[in-house]
Amino acid sequence: MYEGLDSLHVERRGEVLWVRMDKEKRPNSDLARVFREVNGDADTRVVVLTGAAEKAFCVGGGGAGSWKTEAEHNAYWFGGMQLARDLIIS
């Protein structure tokens, strides 16, 4: 799990999964993938998101990835974010 992520550094500390995002490498698809994998990871109880920027950091849903259409991008990105929300509530 959590391998082959080009834009994220993932480190497990007990039941906490630390995810550091590198905005320069456009973490959108990797971040959605992490949340999908967390859903099946019984060893992770908390995900901490951090950024690698020196001054400020913001990750949004924009940017082009390997998707052919914007609708494909949105379905993948927002599907992963909905899954993250569901995990937080449950």
Coordinates of all heavy atoms in Angstrom, one line a residue:
M1 N 0.8 -1.2 0.0 CA 0.0 0.0 0.0 C 0.9 1.3 0.0 O 2.0 1.2 0.5 CB -0.9 0.0 1.2 CG -2.1 -0.9 1.2 SD -3.1 -0.6 2.7 CE -4.7 -0.6 1.8
Y2 N 0.3 2.3 -0.5 CA 0.9 3.6 -0.5 C 2.3 3.6 -1.2 O 3.2 4.4 -0.9 CB 1.1 4.2 0.9 CG -0.2 3.9 1.7 CD1 -0.2 3.1 2.8 CD2 -1.3 4.6 1.4 CE1 -1.3 2.9 3.6 CE2 -2.5 4.4 2.1 CZ -2.5 3.5 3.2 OH -3.6 3.3 4.0
E3 N 2.5 2.8 -2.2 CA 3.7 2.8 -3.0 C 3.5 3.4 -4.4 O 2.4 3.4 -4.9 CB 4.2 1.4 -3.1 CG 4.6 0.8 -1.8 CD 5.1 -0.7 -1.9 OE1 5.3 -1.2 -3.0 OE2 5.3 -1.3 -0.9
G4 N 4.5 3.9 -5.0 CA 4.4 4.5 -6.3 C 3.7 5.8 -6.4 O 3.2 6.2 -7.4
L5 N 3.7 6.5 -5.3 CA 3.1 7.9 -5.2 C 4.2 8.9 -5.5 O 5.1 9.1 -4.7 CB 2.5 8.1 -3.8 CG 1.5 7.1 -3.4 CD1 1.2 7.3 -1.9 CD2 0.2 7.3 -4.2
D6 N 4.1 9.6 -6.7 CA 5.1 10.5 -7.1 C 5.1 11.8 -6.4 O 6.1 12.4 -6.2 CB 4.9 10.8 -8.6 CG 5.2 9.5 -9.4 OD1 6.0 8.7 -9.1 OD2 4.5 9.4 -10.5
S7 N 3.9 12.2 -5.9 CA 3.8 13.6 -5.3 C 3.6 13.6 -3.8 O 3.5 14.7 -3.2 CB 2.7 14.3 -6.0 OG 1.5 13.7 -5.7
L8 N 3.7 12.4 -3.2 CA 3.4 12.3 -1.7 C 4.5 11.5 -1.1 O 5.0 10.5 -1.6 CB 2.1 11.7 -1.5 CG 0.8 12.3 -2.1 CD1 -0.4 11.5 -1.8 CD2 0.6 13.7 -1.5
H9 N 4.8 11.9 0.2 CA 5.7 11.1 1.0 C 4.8 10.6 2.1 O 4.1 11.3 2.8 CB 6.8 11.9 1.6 CG 7.6 11.2 2.6 ND1 8.6 10.3 2.3 CD2 7.6 11.2 4.0 CE1 9.1 9.8 3.4 NE2 8.5 10.3 4.4
V10 N 4.7 9.3 2.2 CA 3.8 8.6 3.2 C 4.7 7.9 4.3 O 5.6 7.2 3.9 CB 2.8 7.6 2.5 CG1 1.9 7.0 3.6 CG2 2.0 8.3 1.5
E11 N 4.4 8.2 5.5 CA 5.1 7.6 6.6 C 4.1 7.1 7.7 O 3.2 7.9 8.1 CB 6.0 8.6 7.3 CG 6.8 8.1 8.4 CD 7.6 9.2 9.1 OE1 7.8 10.3 8.5 OE2 8.1 8.9 10.2
R12 N 4.2 5.9 8.1 CA 3.4 5.3 9.2 C 4.0 5.5 10.5 O 5.2 5.1 10.7 CB 3.1 3.9 8.9 CG 2.2 3.2 10.0 CD 1.8 1.8 9.7 NE 1.1 1.7 8.5 CZ -0.2 2.0 8.3 NH1 -0.9 2.6 9.3 NH2 -0.8 1.8 7.2
R13 N 3.3 6.0 11.5 CA 3.8 6.1 12.9 C 2.7 5.5 13.7 O 1.7 6.1 14.1 CB 4.0 7.5 13.3 CG 5.1 8.2 12.5 CD 5.3 9.6 13.0 NE 6.0 10.4 12.0 CZ 6.1 11.8 12.1 NH1 5.5 12.4 13.0 NH2 6.8 12.4 11.1
G14 N 2.8 4.2 13.9 CA 1.7 3.4 14.7 C 0.5 3.4 13.8 O 0.5 3.0 12.7
E15 N -0.6 3.9 14.4 CA -1.9 3.9 13.7 C -2.1 5.2 12.9 O -3.2 5.4 12.4 CB -3.1 3.7 14.7 CG -3.0 2.3 15.3 CD -4.1 2.1 16.3 OE1 -4.5 3.1 17.0 OE2 -4.7 1.0 16.4
V16 N -1.1 6.1 12.9 CA -1.2 7.4 12.2 C -0.5 7.3 10.9 O 0.7 6.9 10.9 CB -0.7 8.5 13.1 CG1 -0.8 9.8 12.4 CG2 -1.5 8.5 14.4
L17 N -1.1 7.7 9.8 CA -0.5 7.8 8.5 C -0.2 9.3 8.2 O -1.1 10.1 8.1 CB -1.4 7.2 7.5 CG -0.8 6.9 6.1 CD1 0.2 5.7 6.3 CD2 -1.8 6.6 5.1
W18 N 1.1 9.6 8.1 CA 1.5 11.0 7.8 C 1.7 11.1 6.3 O 2.4 10.3 5.7 CB 2.8 11.4 8.5 CG 2.6 11.6 10.0 CD1 2.4 10.6 11.0 CD2 2.5 12.8 10.7 NE1 2.3 11.1 12.2 CE2 2.3 12.5 12.1 CE3 2.5 14.1 10.3 CZ2 2.2 13.5 13.0 CZ3 2.4 15.1 11.3 CH2 2.2 14.8 12.6
V19 N 1.0 12.1 5.7 CA 1.1 12.3 4.3 C 1.6 13.7 4.0 O 0.9 14.7 4.3 CB -0.3 12.0 3.6 CG1 -0.2 12.3 2.1 CG2 -0.8 10.7 3.9
R20 N 2.8 13.8 3.4 CA 3.3 15.1 3.1 C 3.2 15.3 1.6 O 3.7 14.5 0.8 CB 4.8 15.2 3.5 CG 5.3 16.6 3.3 CD 6.8 16.8 3.8 NE 7.7 16.0 2.9 CZ 8.5 15.1 3.3 NH1 8.6 14.7 4.5 NH2 9.3 14.5 2.4
M21 N 2.5 16.4 1.2 CA 2.2 16.7 -0.2 C 3.3 17.7 -0.7 O 3.7 18.7 -0.1 CB 0.8 17.4 -0.3 CG -0.3 16.5 0.2 SD -1.9 17.3 0.3 CE -1.7 18.2 1.8
D22 N 3.7 17.5 -2.0 CA 4.6 18.3 -2.7 C 3.8 19.0 -3.8 O 3.6 18.3 -4.9 CB 5.8 17.5 -3.2 CG 6.8 18.4 -3.9 OD1 6.5 19.6 -4.2 OD2 7.9 17.9 -4.2
K23 N 3.4 20.2 -3.7 CA 2.5 20.9 -4.6 C 3.2 20.9 -6.0 O 2.5 20.9 -7.0 CB 2.1 22.3 -4.2 CG 1.2 23.0 -5.1 CD -0.1 22.4 -5.2 CE -1.0 23.3 -6.0 NZ -2.3 22.7 -6.3
E24 N 4.5 21.0 -6.1 CA 5.2 21.1 -7.3 C 4.9 19.9 -8.2 O 5.0 19.9 -9.4 CB 6.7 21.4 -7.1 CG 7.0 22.7 -6.5 CD 6.5 23.9 -7.3 OE1 6.6 23.9 -8.5 OE2 6.0 24.8 -6.6
K25 N 4.6 18.8 -7.6 CA 4.4 17.5 -8.3 C 3.0 17.2 -8.5 O 2.6 16.1 -8.9 CB 5.2 16.4 -7.6 CG 6.6 16.6 -7.6 CD 7.3 15.4 -6.9 CE 8.8 15.6 -6.9 NZ 9.5 14.5 -6.1
R26 N 2.1 18.1 -8.2 CA 0.6 18.0 -8.4 C 0.1 16.7 -7.7 O -0.2 15.7 -8.4 CB 0.3 18.0 -9.8 CG 0.9 19.3 -10.5 CD 0.4 19.5 -11.9 NE -1.0 20.0 -11.9 CZ -1.3 21.2 -11.9 NH1 -0.4 22.2 -11.9 NH2 -2.6 21.6 -11.9
P27 N -0.2 16.8 -6.4 CA -0.6 15.6 -5.7 C -2.1 15.2 -5.8 O -2.5 14.2 -5.2 CB -0.4 16.1 -4.2 CG -0.6 17.5 -4.2 CD 0.0 18.0 -5.6
N28 N -2.8 15.8 -6.7 CA -4.3 15.5 -6.8 C -4.6 14.1 -6.9 O -5.4 13.5 -6.1 CB -4.9 16.3 -7.9 CG -4.8 17.8 -7.6 OD1 -4.6 18.3 -6.5 ND2 -5.0 18.6 -8.7
S29 N -4.1 13.4 -7.9 CA -4.5 12.0 -8.1 C -3.9 11.1 -7.0 O -4.6 10.1 -6.6 CB -4.1 11.5 -9.5 OG -2.7 11.5 -9.6
D30 N -2.7 11.4 -6.6 CA -2.1 10.6 -5.5 C -2.9 10.7 -4.2 O -3.1 9.7 -3.5 CB -0.7 10.9 -5.3 CG 0.3 10.4 -6.4 OD1 -0.2 9.5 -7.2 OD2 1.4 10.9 -6.4
L31 N -3.4 11.9 -3.9 CA -4.1 12.1 -2.7 C -5.4 11.4 -2.7 O -5.8 10.7 -1.7 CB -4.3 13.6 -2.4 CG -4.9 14.0 -1.1 CD1 -4.0 13.5 0.1 CD2 -5.0 15.5 -1.0
A32 N -6.1 11.4 -3.8 CA -7.4 10.7 -3.9 C -7.1 9.2 -3.7 O -7.9 8.4 -3.1 CB -8.0 11.0 -5.2
R33 N -6.0 8.7 -4.3 CA -5.6 7.3 -4.2 C -5.4 6.9 -2.8 O -5.8 5.8 -2.3 CB -4.4 7.0 -5.1 CG -4.1 5.5 -5.1 CD -2.9 5.2 -5.9 NE -2.1 4.2 -5.3 CZ -0.8 4.0 -5.4 NH1 -0.1 4.8 -6.2 NH2 -0.2 3.1 -4.7
V34 N -4.7 7.7 -2.0 CA -4.4 7.4 -0.6 C -5.7 7.2 0.2 O -5.8 6.3 0.9 CB -3.5 8.6 0.0 CG1 -3.5 8.5 1.6 CG2 -2.1 8.5 -0.5
F35 N -6.6 8.1 0.0 CA -7.9 8.0 0.7 C -8.6 6.7 0.3 O -9.3 6.1 1.1 CB -8.8 9.2 0.5 CG -8.3 10.4 1.4 CD1 -7.9 11.5 0.8 CD2 -8.3 10.2 2.8 CE1 -7.5 12.6 1.6 CE2 -7.9 11.3 3.6 CZ -7.5 12.5 3.0
R36 N -8.5 6.3 -1.0 CA -9.2 5.1 -1.4 C -8.5 3.9 -0.7 O -9.1 3.0 -0.2 CB -9.1 4.9 -2.9 CG -10.0 5.9 -3.6 CD -9.8 5.7 -5.2 NE -10.4 6.9 -5.9 CZ -11.7 7.1 -6.1 NH1 -12.6 6.2 -5.6 NH2 -12.1 8.1 -6.7
E37 N -7.1 3.9 -0.6 CA -6.4 2.8 0.1 C -6.6 2.8 1.6 O -6.7 1.8 2.2 CB -4.9 2.9 -0.3 CG -4.6 2.6 -1.7 CD -3.2 2.6 -2.1 OE1 -2.3 2.6 -1.2 OE2 -2.9 2.6 -3.3
V38 N -6.8 4.0 2.2 CA -7.0 4.1 3.6 C -8.3 3.3 4.0 O -8.4 2.7 5.0 CB -7.0 5.5 4.1 CG1 -7.7 5.7 5.5 CG2 -5.6 6.1 4.2
N39 N -9.3 3.4 3.1 CA -10.6 2.8 3.3 C -10.4 1.3 3.6 O -11.2 0.7 4.3 CB -11.5 3.0 2.1 CG -12.9 2.5 2.4 OD1 -13.4 2.8 3.4 ND2 -13.5 1.9 1.4
G40 N -9.4 0.6 3.0 CA -9.2 -0.8 3.2 C -8.0 -1.1 4.1 O -7.6 -2.2 4.2
D41 N -7.5 -0.1 4.8 CA -6.4 -0.2 5.7 C -6.8 -0.2 7.2 O -7.0 0.8 7.8 CB -5.4 0.9 5.4 CG -4.1 0.8 6.2 OD1 -4.0 -0.1 7.1 OD2 -3.2 1.7 6.0
A42 N -6.9 -1.4 7.7 CA -7.4 -1.5 9.1 C -6.3 -1.0 10.1 O -6.6 -0.8 11.3 CB -7.7 -3.0 9.4
D43 N -5.1 -0.8 9.7 CA -4.0 -0.4 10.6 C -3.9 1.1 10.7 O -3.2 1.6 11.5 CB -2.6 -0.9 10.1 CG -2.6 -2.4 10.1 OD1 -3.2 -3.0 11.0 OD2 -1.9 -3.0 9.3
T44 N -4.7 1.9 9.9 CA -4.7 3.3 9.9 C -5.9 3.8 10.6 O -7.0 3.5 10.1 CB -4.5 3.9 8.5 OG1 -3.3 3.5 7.9 CG2 -4.6 5.4 8.5
R45 N -5.8 4.6 11.6 CA -6.9 5.2 12.3 C -7.0 6.7 12.1 O -8.0 7.3 12.2 CB -6.8 4.9 13.8 CG -6.8 3.4 14.1 CD -7.3 2.9 15.3 NE -8.2 3.7 16.1 CZ -9.6 3.5 16.2 NH1 -10.1 2.5 15.5 NH2 -10.3 4.3 17.0
V46 N -5.8 7.3 11.7 CA -5.8 8.8 11.5 C -4.9 9.1 10.4 O -3.8 8.4 10.2 CB -5.2 9.5 12.8 CG1 -5.0 11.0 12.5 CG2 -6.1 9.3 14.0
V47 N -5.2 10.0 9.5 CA -4.4 10.5 8.5 C -4.1 12.0 8.7 O -5.0 12.8 8.9 CB -5.0 10.4 7.1 CG1 -4.1 11.0 6.0 CG2 -5.3 8.9 6.7
V48 N -2.8 12.3 8.8 CA -2.4 13.7 9.0 C -1.8 14.2 7.6 O -0.9 13.6 7.1 CB -1.3 13.8 10.1 CG1 -0.8 15.3 10.2 CG2 -1.8 13.3 11.4
L49 N -2.4 15.3 7.1 CA -1.9 15.9 5.9 C -1.1 17.1 6.2 O -1.4 18.0 6.9 CB -3.1 16.3 5.0 CG -4.1 15.2 4.6 CD1 -5.3 15.8 3.9 CD2 -3.4 14.2 3.8
T50 N 0.1 17.1 5.6 CA 1.0 18.3 5.7 C 1.5 18.6 4.3 O 1.4 17.9 3.4 CB 2.2 17.9 6.6 OG1 3.0 16.9 6.0 CG2 1.8 17.5 8.0
G51 N 2.1 19.8 4.2 CA 2.7 20.3 3.0 C 4.1 20.5 3.0 O 4.7 20.8 4.1
A52 N 4.8 20.4 1.9 CA 6.3 20.6 1.9 C 6.7 22.0 1.6 O 7.9 22.3 1.5 CB 6.8 19.6 0.8
A53 N 5.8 22.9 1.4 CA 6.2 24.3 1.1 C 6.8 25.0 2.3 O 6.5 24.7 3.4 CB 4.9 25.1 0.6
E54 N 7.7 26.0 2.0 CA 8.3 26.7 3.1 C 7.5 27.8 3.7 O 7.5 28.0 4.9 CB 9.6 27.3 2.6 CG 10.7 26.3 2.2 CD 12.0 26.9 1.7 OE1 12.2 28.1 2.0 OE2 12.7 26.2 1.0
K55 N 6.6 28.5 2.9 CA 5.9 29.6 3.4 C 4.4 29.3 3.6 O 3.8 29.5 4.6 CB 6.0 30.8 2.4 CG 7.4 31.4 2.3 CD 7.4 32.6 1.4 CE 8.8 33.1 1.3 NZ 8.9 34.3 0.4
A56 N 3.8 28.7 2.6 CA 2.3 28.4 2.6 C 2.1 27.3 1.7 O 2.9 27.0 0.8 CB 1.5 29.6 2.2
F57 N 1.0 26.6 1.9 CA 0.7 25.4 1.1 C -0.9 25.3 1.0 O -1.6 25.5 2.0 CB 1.2 24.2 1.8 CG 1.1 23.0 0.9 CD1 2.0 22.6 0.0 CD2 0.0 22.1 1.0 CE1 1.9 21.5 -0.8 CE2 -0.2 21.0 0.2 CZ 0.8 20.7 -0.7
C58 N -1.3 25.0 -0.2 CA -2.7 24.8 -0.4 C -2.8 23.7 -1.5 O -2.2 23.8 -2.6 CB -3.4 26.1 -0.9 SG -5.1 25.8 -1.3
V59 N -3.7 22.7 -1.3 CA -3.9 21.8 -2.4 C -5.4 21.9 -2.7 O -6.3 21.9 -1.9 CB -3.5 20.3 -1.9 CG1 -4.4 19.8 -0.8 CG2 -3.6 19.4 -3.1
G60 N -5.6 22.0 -4.0 CA -7.0 22.2 -4.5 C -7.3 21.1 -5.4 O -6.6 20.1 -5.6
G61 N -8.5 21.1 -6.0 CA -9.0 20.1 -7.0 C -8.6 20.4 -8.4 O -9.0 19.7 -9.3
G62 N -7.9 21.5 -8.6 CA -7.6 21.8 -10.0 C -6.4 21.1 -10.6 O -5.7 20.4 -9.9
G63 N -6.1 21.4 -11.8 CA -4.9 20.8 -12.5 C -5.2 19.6 -13.3 O -6.1 18.9 -13.1
A64 N -4.4 19.5 -14.3 CA -4.6 18.4 -15.3 C -3.8 17.2 -14.8 O -2.7 17.3 -14.3 CB -4.2 18.8 -16.7
G65 N -4.3 16.0 -14.9 CA -3.6 14.8 -14.5 C -3.5 13.9 -15.8 O -3.4 14.4 -16.9
S66 N -3.7 12.7 -15.6 CA -3.7 11.7 -16.7 C -5.1 11.5 -17.2 O -5.3 10.5 -17.9 CB -3.0 10.4 -16.2 OG -3.8 9.9 -15.1
W67 N -6.0 12.3 -16.9 CA -7.4 12.1 -17.3 C -7.6 12.7 -18.7 O -7.0 13.7 -19.1 CB -8.4 12.8 -16.3 CG -8.2 12.3 -14.9 CD1 -8.7 11.1 -14.4 CD2 -7.4 12.8 -13.9 NE1 -8.2 11.0 -13.1 CE2 -7.4 12.0 -12.8 CE3 -6.6 14.0 -13.8 CZ2 -6.8 12.3 -11.6 CZ3 -5.9 14.3 -12.7 CH2 -6.0 13.4 -11.6
K68 N -8.5 12.0 -19.4 CA -8.8 12.5 -20.8 C -9.8 13.7 -20.8 O -9.7 14.5 -21.7 CB -9.3 11.3 -21.6 CG -8.3 10.2 -21.8 CD -8.9 9.1 -22.6 CE -7.9 8.0 -22.7 NZ -8.4 6.8 -23.3
T69 N -10.6 13.7 -19.8 CA -11.6 14.8 -19.7 C -11.7 15.4 -18.3 O -11.3 14.7 -17.4 CB -13.0 14.3 -20.1 OG1 -13.5 13.4 -19.1 CG2 -13.1 13.6 -21.4
E70 N -12.2 16.6 -18.3 CA -12.4 17.2 -17.0 C -13.4 16.4 -16.1 O -13.2 16.3 -14.9 CB -12.9 18.6 -17.1 CG -13.0 19.4 -15.8 CD -13.3 20.8 -16.0 OE1 -13.3 21.3 -17.1 OE2 -13.7 21.5 -15.0
A71 N -14.4 15.9 -16.7 CA -15.4 15.1 -16.0 C -14.8 13.8 -15.4 O -15.1 13.5 -14.2 CB -16.5 14.7 -16.9
E72 N -13.8 13.2 -16.1 CA -13.1 12.0 -15.6 C -12.3 12.4 -14.3 O -12.3 11.7 -13.3 CB -12.3 11.4 -16.7 CG -11.6 10.1 -16.3 CD -10.8 9.6 -17.5 OE1 -11.4 9.1 -18.5 OE2 -9.6 9.6 -17.4
H73 N -11.6 13.5 -14.5 CA -10.8 14.1 -13.4 C -11.6 14.3 -12.2 O -11.3 13.9 -11.0 CB -10.1 15.4 -13.8 CG -9.5 16.2 -12.7 ND1 -10.2 17.2 -12.1 CD2 -8.3 16.1 -12.1 CE1 -9.4 17.7 -11.1 NE2 -8.3 17.0 -11.1
N74 N -12.7 15.0 -12.3 CA -13.6 15.4 -11.2 C -14.2 14.2 -10.6 O -14.3 14.1 -9.3 CB -14.7 16.3 -11.7 CG -14.2 17.7 -12.1 OD1 -13.1 18.1 -11.7 ND2 -14.9 18.5 -12.8
A75 N -14.6 13.2 -11.3 CA -15.2 12.0 -10.8 C -14.1 11.3 -9.9 O -14.5 10.8 -8.8 CB -15.6 11.0 -11.9
Y76 N -12.9 11.2 -10.3 CA -11.9 10.5 -9.5 C -11.5 11.4 -8.3 O -11.5 10.9 -7.2 CB -10.6 10.3 -10.4 CG -9.6 9.5 -9.6 CD1 -9.7 8.1 -9.6 CD2 -8.5 10.0 -8.9 CE1 -8.8 7.3 -8.9 CE2 -7.6 9.3 -8.2 CZ -7.7 7.9 -8.3 OH -6.8 7.1 -7.6
W77 N -11.3 12.6 -8.5 CA -10.8 13.5 -7.4 C -11.9 13.6 -6.3 O -11.7 13.4 -5.1 CB -10.4 14.9 -7.9 CG -10.2 15.9 -6.8 CD1 -11.0 16.9 -6.5 CD2 -9.0 15.9 -5.9 NE1 -10.4 17.6 -5.4 CE2 -9.2 17.0 -5.1 CE3 -7.9 15.1 -5.8 CZ2 -8.3 17.4 -4.1 CZ3 -7.0 15.5 -4.8 CH2 -7.2 16.6 -4.0
F78 N -13.1 14.0 -6.7 CA -14.2 14.3 -5.8 C -14.7 13.0 -5.2 O -15.2 12.9 -4.0 CB -15.3 15.1 -6.4 CG -14.8 16.5 -6.7 CD1 -14.7 17.0 -8.0 CD2 -14.4 17.4 -5.6 CE1 -14.2 18.2 -8.2 CE2 -13.9 18.6 -5.9 CZ -13.8 19.1 -7.2
G79 N -14.6 11.9 -5.9 CA -14.9 10.5 -5.3 C -14.0 10.2 -4.2 O -14.4 9.7 -3.1
G80 N -12.7 10.5 -4.4 CA -11.7 10.2 -3.3 C -12.0 11.1 -2.1 O -11.9 10.7 -0.9
M81 N -12.3 12.4 -2.3 CA -12.6 13.3 -1.2 C -13.9 12.9 -0.5 O -13.9 13.1 0.7 CB -12.7 14.8 -1.8 CG -11.3 15.3 -2.3 SD -10.0 15.2 -1.1 CE -9.1 13.8 -1.6
Q82 N -14.9 12.5 -1.2 CA -16.1 12.0 -0.6 C -15.8 10.8 0.3 O -16.3 10.7 1.4 CB -17.2 11.6 -1.6 CG -18.5 11.1 -1.0 CD -19.2 12.2 -0.2 OE1 -19.3 13.3 -0.6 NE2 -19.7 11.8 1.0
L83 N -15.0 9.9 -0.2 CA -14.6 8.8 0.6 C -13.8 9.2 1.9 O -14.1 8.7 3.0 CB -13.6 7.8 -0.2 CG -13.1 6.6 0.5 CD1 -14.3 5.7 1.0 CD2 -12.3 5.8 -0.5
A84 N -13.0 10.2 1.8 CA -12.3 10.8 3.0 C -13.3 11.3 4.0 O -13.2 11.1 5.2 CB -11.3 11.8 2.6
R85 N -14.3 12.1 3.5 CA -15.3 12.6 4.3 C -16.1 11.5 5.1 O -16.3 11.5 6.2 CB -16.3 13.5 3.5 CG -17.4 14.1 4.3 CD -18.5 14.6 3.4 NE -19.7 14.9 4.1 CZ -20.6 14.0 4.5 NH1 -20.4 12.7 4.2 NH2 -21.6 14.3 5.2
D86 N -16.4 10.5 4.3 CA -17.2 9.3 4.9 C -16.3 8.7 6.0 O -16.9 8.2 7.0 CB -17.6 8.4 3.8 CG -18.6 8.9 2.9 OD1 -19.2 10.0 3.2 OD2 -18.8 8.3 1.8
L87 N -15.0 8.5 5.7 CA -14.2 7.9 6.7 C -14.1 8.7 8.0 O -14.1 8.2 9.1 CB -12.8 7.7 6.2 CG -12.6 6.7 5.1 CD1 -11.3 6.8 4.4 CD2 -12.8 5.3 5.6
I88 N -14.1 10.0 7.9 CA -14.0 10.9 9.0 C -15.3 10.8 9.9 O -15.2 10.7 11.1 CB -13.7 12.4 8.6 CG1 -12.3 12.5 8.0 CG2 -13.9 13.3 9.8 CD1 -12.0 13.8 7.3
I89 N -16.4 10.8 9.2 CA -17.7 10.7 9.9 C -17.9 9.4 10.6 O -18.5 9.3 11.6 CB -18.8 11.1 9.0 CG1 -18.7 12.6 8.6 CG2 -20.2 10.8 9.6 CD1 -19.6 13.1 7.6
S90 N -17.4 8.3 10.0 CA -17.7 7.0 10.5 C -16.7 6.6 11.6 O -16.4 6.8 12.5 CB -17.6 5.9 9.5 OG -16.3 5.9 8.9

